[in-house]
Amino acid sequence: MTDLALIRNFSIIAHIDHGKSTLADRLIQFTGGLTEREMSAQVLDNMDIERERGITIKAQTVRLDYPAKDGKTYQLNLMDTPGHVDFAYEVSRSLAACEGALLVVDAAQGVEAQTLANVYQSIEHDHEIVPVINKIDLPAAEPDKVRAQIEDVIGLDASNAVLTSAKSGIGIAEVLEAIVTRIPPPSGDRTAPLKAMLVDSWYDPYLGVVILVRIIDGVIRKGLHVRFMAGDTEHLIDRVGCMRPKIEQLAELGPGEVGFITAQIKEVAQARVGDTITTVKGGASAALPGFKQVQPVVFCGLFPADAADFEKLRDSIGKLRLNDASFSFEMETSAALGFGFRCGFLGLLHLEIIQERLAREYDLDLITTAPSVVYRLAMNDGSTVELHNPADMPDPVRIASMEEPWIKATIYTPDEHLGAILKLCQDRRGIQTGLTYVGGRAQVNYELPLNEVVFDFYDRLKSISRGYASFDYEQIGLREGDLVKMNILVNNEPVDALSMIVHRSQAEARGRGLVERLKDLIPRHLFKIPIQAAIGAKVIARETIAALRKDVTAKCYGGDISRKKKLLDKQKEGKKRMREYGSVQIPQEAFIAALRMGEE
């Protein structure tokens, strides 16, 4: 039983690549959580894909014992959180389980867009924030300038910010002392009815569903009969423990502690994040305020490249869903691509990660359709319809108006790239709401339609700013727009996998770009193939693939001209008939390349 005054729950928040996971490594090493031999770089990033990309995707937790300078041994519960905007919901969950946060800022790069977003989330939870200026041993480090920036931009007092270099281990002892002295201990009552918050859940092939909990009141121990209040299910607890970062079993978890439990649950869907766990007998009367439900933002179709792999895909997606509650899917069929799934993601990086995990962990070859967002249609009969897939759009005559989601974007950029970034946002139908200078860099605020951002906005932003601009966004609701469905016709047949919803003002440019691309990608046939982009019955762009000509007169040498004419006429008849019935084979690579349509 740990005294509440000796527990500290904290998370590490920062922008991408500012050194969260490396700092977590040093804290584990310093407190002896792992021996030198067991240590590896980014020890909490345990997925291959996290290590390769150098990003954190899943928030991880670890318990450390720290003998402080005052002679007492403190129990520190550390949460390492992701920095990328697509995984912001992971951050919000981790913050709800803590009393304080270490704000890590890169001494060379200063405050970035995502730093701000995470800090504001932390302030909303009433946290004590300890600024940590990392990478002070870099030649370009300017700790004093960054200190001033933290005060100007965020409004936090940074005069006592801890200066560290997580890579070389400078200042780690000071960070631990700051955690103990500046972050408040949790509050809780051992004798009250059990109240535990479900912070995260994941699937383990040996243990079933493992649930990460933060105990608010009461005690949880093995053999306890518990109830999940939101899911309204009952379970018997068979294992209680904590991560150090290796699994360690414990007799019980008391108030203020963070640990895991298992209860022979087979499906993660039963362990909803943000749920309240209490005892079946004499349990808590009211649930804790949970987290807001995760809403998928981007939708796209996932189809197996080989139709025979459909069952394997269904199985793999189901298993992946066990570890990632923010990913949703439902079945769909496409004339061009066969059976597949319509999947919802939190953003493009999330989509890319899921796709890569399916390819890598389950050995699947996939085709992804064009990503689209959720539109809301107001119909003439007064009803409203949510549209996830452009191919399902009803007849435009029945639609009174269409609304699309908009976002509020914050972009930080060095001054020399400002002009190009403003042009990019204007081209994407953006509305500028603010432009200020913070610590020698421009902060631009824009309101943008989400479907303009979904395609390749992030890549374009990085390329025009040489990687120096940082971007963060939040949704601000739906707005009406002049939107149309653009169909792509190949040999007068619509290809539903390539249909998309675009703004009327940009339909022609988008359509022209796509048909020109397809002209180079679809192989030539023995007959002419028209490729058209159309809105309803109106064709807005067209390209024609010339026919492959077979030389039918090759065997005629000499002789009468009428024989050659007869053969050519026969060929002409055949081509005409072929064009009427001929089906065009569109190779899978053509789909993939056409969907990766940038603005080259």
Side-chain angles (χ1 to χ4, degrees):
M1 178 180 154
T2 313
D3 180 10
L4 270 175
L6 298 177
I7 299 177
R8 298 287 183 275
N9 297 322
F10 68 98
S11 60
I12 304 182
I13 52 176
H15 188 75
I16 313 151
D17 276 349
H18 281 203
K20 293 181 295 296
S21 299
T22 312
L23 181 62
D25 286 356
R26 289 301 149 273
L27 295 175
I28 292 169
Q29 214 171 349
F30 195 91
T31 55
L34 289 173
T35 62
E36 284 293 330
R37 193 167 60 85
E38 292 167 321
M39 263 321 277
S40 63
Q42 276 83 37
V43 71
L44 294 181
D45 290 349
N46 48 22
M47 286 198 281
D48 291 348
I49 195 164
E50 288 183 311
R51 288 169 178 274
E52 278 172 32
R53 286 174 174 248
I55 57 174
T56 303
I57 295 166
K58 291 290 287 175
Q60 298 287 349
T61 153
V62 60
R63 176 183 290 194
L64 310 168
D65 290 327
Y66 171 60
K69 287 180 181 168
D70 58 10
K72 297 174 188 165
T73 298
Y74 288 85
Q75 175 192 314
L76 309 180
N77 291 310
L78 156 96
M79 307 254 182
D80 180 23
T81 61
H84 202 281
V85 59
D86 283 11
F87 305 113
Y89 82 104
E90 289 272 349
V91 181
S92 71
R93 305 194 317 208
S94 302
L95 292 177
C98 302
E99 280 74 41
L102 296 182
L103 168 66
V104 180
V105 183
D106 186 321
Q109 293 186 324
V111 175
E112 302 264 15
Q114 200 57 40
T115 320
L116 271 182
N118 290 342
V119 164
Y120 292 145
Q121 275 197 355
S122 194
I123 292 170
E124 274 172 33
H125 284 97
D126 247 2
H127 281 180
E128 183 62 45
I129 299 172
V130 178
V132 175
I133 298 175
N134 191 22
K135 309 192 188 182
I136 55 163
D137 54 350
L138 286 180
E142 298 175 290
D144 293 333
K145 189 177 163 190
V146 172
R147 226 181 225 147
Q149 210 180 4
I150 292 173
E151 291 183 357
D152 291 350
V153 181
I154 304 170
L156 276 180
D157 175 22
S159 56
N160 54 359
V162 187
L163 301 178
T164 65
S165 165
K167 197 167 184 184
S168 35
I170 302 166
I172 302 301
E174 287 77 10
V175 172
L176 286 160
E177 278 301 315
I179 292 165
V180 168
T181 52
R182 287 157 64 180
I183 291 176
S187 55
D189 181 0
R190 262 188 94 79
T191 55
L194 172 68
K195 252 191 194 176
M197 183 196 278
L198 201 156
V199 181
D200 199 0
S201 58
W202 63 92
Y203 188 78
D204 182 290
Y206 302 107
L207 305 173
V209 176
V210 181
I211 295 169
L212 185 71
V213 290
R214 155 74 201 267
I215 314 293
I216 308 293
D217 289 324
V219 179
I220 203 163
R221 56 174 71 88
K222 192 178 166 179
L224 205 59
H225 200 182
V226 294
R227 183 163 76 89
F228 289 15
M229 291 175 90
D232 203 23
T233 53
E234 294 181 9
H235 304 279
L236 195 68
I237 289 174
D238 56 12
R239 195 181 271 103
V240 174
C242 67
M243 308 284 193
R244 282 186 186 274
K246 293 179 293 192
I247 284 180
E248 180 180 304
Q249 296 210 32
L250 301 171
E252 61 172 41
L253 287 171
E257 292 191 284
V258 177
F260 74 85
I261 56 170
T262 62
Q264 295 177 356
I265 303 170
K266 300 285 184 293
E267 286 207 16
V268 171
Q270 294 181 347
R272 268 188 260 161
V273 168
D275 202 344
T276 306
I277 302 172
T278 186
T279 47
V280 172
K281 287 185 182 161
S285 51
L288 298 159
F291 309 109
K292 54 179 185 281
Q293 200 61 36
V294 168
Q295 292 295 333
V297 178
V298 178
F299 285 83
C300 84
L302 288 181
F303 294 86
D306 177 0
D309 283 345
F310 174 70
E311 282 302 324
K312 188 178 170 189
L313 175 65
R314 182 206 295 257
D315 198 41
S316 310
I317 283 185
K319 282 181 183 160
L320 202 59
R321 171 89 171 85
L322 292 177
N323 277 23
D324 191 344
S326 59
F327 158 62
S328 60
F329 63 91
E330 56 186 39
M331 245 189 82
E332 76 164 351
T333 54
S334 148
L337 302 171
F339 286 101
F341 292 93
R342 189 92 195 149
C343 304
F345 307 93
L346 298 178
L348 277 191
L349 179 74
H350 190 206
L351 182 156
E352 219 176 291
I353 298 285
I354 293 274
Q355 208 181 331
E356 201 164 317
R357 283 184 68 185
L358 284 169
R360 191 179 288 197
E361 295 171 26
Y362 302 101
D363 196 25
L364 282 162
D365 192 7
L366 296 173
I367 296 169
T368 327
T369 62
S372 74
V373 296
V374 187
Y375 299 94
R376 193 161 67 196
L377 316 181
M379 310 303 279
N380 288 332
D381 60 4
S383 62
T384 56
V385 178
E386 282 203 344
L387 180 68
H388 293 215
N389 187 351
D392 301 335
M393 185 162 160
D395 186 348
V397 180
R398 294 171 43 214
I399 302 171
S401 67
M402 249 178 116
E403 293 181 320
E404 58 179 336
W406 277 62
I407 58 166
K408 186 168 107 194
T410 309
I411 301 169
Y412 277 82
T413 171
D415 213 11
E416 63 266 28
H417 307 300
L418 184 60
I421 286 173
L422 294 178
K423 183 180 183 309
L424 174 70
C425 294
Q426 290 309 124
D427 292 347
R428 298 299 172 96
R429 302 192 280 133
I431 302 166
Q432 188 177 330
T433 56
L435 172 60
T436 50
Y437 279 86
V438 180
R441 286 188 312 165
Q443 176 189 330
V444 192
N445 298 92
Y446 259 93
E447 289 179 359
L448 288 153
L450 185 61
N451 75 347
E452 297 288 341
V453 175
V454 152
F455 258 99
D456 54 356
F457 181 82
Y458 195 66
D459 301 343
R460 302 272 309 148
L461 181 74
K462 284 291 179 201
S463 68
I464 59 181
S465 68
R466 300 210 197 103
Y468 281 108
S470 65
F471 166 70
D472 178 52
Y473 67 84
E474 57 178 290
Q475 285 191 280
I476 51 172
L478 296 152
R479 293 185 189 172
E480 200 174 314
D482 185 9
L483 302 164
V484 288
K485 176 184 170 186
M486 183 172 77
N487 282 319
I488 300 294
L489 309 170
V490 176
N491 200 20
N492 303 319
E493 287 290 320
V495 181
D496 59 354
L498 293 175
S499 61
M500 58 178 74
I501 289 174
V502 290
H503 194 266
R504 198 182 294 274
S505 64
Q506 288 168 333
E508 198 176 320
R510 236 342 132 71
R512 186 161 291 134
L514 199 45
V515 295
E516 282 171 7
R517 202 89 184 262
L518 282 169
K519 183 188 176 186
D520 299 334
L521 295 166
I522 296 175
R524 289 165 71 189
H525 289 53
L526 288 171
F527 49 92
K528 272 198 308 194
I529 304 172
I531 304 173
Q532 297 158 310
I535 296 172
K538 182 185 174 194
V539 175
I540 53 171
R542 169 176 172 141
E543 290 286 338
T544 308
I545 300 176
L548 262 179
R549 175 145 187 185
K550 184 181 174 189
D551 190 0
V552 286
T553 59
K555 58 181 184 287
C556 301
Y557 40 91
D560 189 12
I561 184 77
S562 60
R563 186 159 172 236
K564 286 186 179 178
K565 273 195 169 159
K566 194 169 153 192
L567 283 168
L568 289 167
D569 287 344
K570 197 172 169 189
Q571 184 190 34
K572 206 181 281 175
E573 278 301 307
K575 283 200 175 180
K576 188 176 166 193
R577 196 167 62 246
M578 198 189 250
R579 188 158 71 243
E580 279 172 20
Y581 308 117
S583 65
V584 179
Q585 293 299 317
I586 306 178
Q588 311 254 307
E589 303 80 69
F591 275 111
I592 297 166
L595 295 172
R596 291 218 174 106
M597 190 177 113
E599 295 174 359
E600 289 117 30

